[in-house]
Structure formats: C-alpha cells, structure tokens
C-alpha cells in the first residue's frame, strides 16, 4: 500500500491554514517559555517540543468542545 504522506510529513489538508498553525505554535511556545525560533529548532529537547504539541492539542480540543455546546 502506498503512503499518501509527502516527504516532509507535514502536509496540511487546508494549505491556507499553515500560517495560522505556525502563529498558534509560536503563541503556545511563548506561553510555555520554550525558545522557539524561526527556522531550525532541532536544539529543543524532546520535552520542550512535546510540551508545545501537547498544549496545542489541549487548546484545540477545548475550543472544539466550546463550539459544540
């Protein structure tokens, strides 16, 4: 079975959302005190990178739950 992912693994279903997700990630990193910078961030620890992604997911779930009320 062929994979539908592109080589970068970060293809978005709605390409226009890419900038909004980038801003959201930067906002969350700032709130958490994680030093996210433009471009390469491979020097972040797994804990730092994971905390950004985890917090983004929590916020997205909270927003969706609010919309469903």
């Amino acid at each position: 079975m062929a994979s539908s992912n592109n080589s970068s693994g970060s293809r978005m279903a709605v390409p226009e959302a890419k900038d909004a997700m980038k801003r959201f990630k930067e906002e969350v990193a700032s709130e958490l005190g994680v030093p996210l910078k433009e471009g390469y961030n491979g020097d972040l620890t797994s804990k730092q990178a994971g905390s950004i992604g985890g917090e983004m997911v929590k916020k997205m779930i909270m927003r969706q739950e609010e919309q469903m009320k």
Side-chain angles (χ1 to χ4, degrees), residues 15-30:
E16 297 80 21
K18 189 173 187 172
D19 287 335
M21 288 300 289
K22 181 180 175 203
R23 286 190 306 273
F24 182 40
K25 178 171 59 174
E26 291 167 351
E27 173 189 320
V28 168
S30 176

Side-chain angles (χ1 to χ4, degrees), residues 3-68:
S3 174
S4 62
N5 290 340
N6 67 1
S7 60
S8 71
S10 62
R11 193 163 118 194
M12 302 198 81
V14 181
E16 297 80 21
K18 189 173 187 172
D19 287 335
M21 288 300 289
K22 181 180 175 203
R23 286 190 306 273
F24 182 40
K25 178 171 59 174
E26 291 167 351
E27 173 189 320
V28 168
S30 176
E31 289 174 6
L32 296 174
V34 175
L36 193 63
K37 58 188 178 286
E38 192 71 32
Y40 178 74
N41 282 284
D43 54 339
L44 294 179
T45 66
S46 295
K47 183 177 180 178
Q48 289 173 315
S51 67
I52 295 169
E55 189 65 23
M56 288 174 70
V57 170
K58 284 184 356 186
K59 287 179 177 245
M60 286 187 274
I61 290 170
M62 287 173 36
R63 287 179 186 170
Q64 185 61 36
E65 287 174 342
E66 286 297 317
Q67 289 180 355
M68 292 171 59

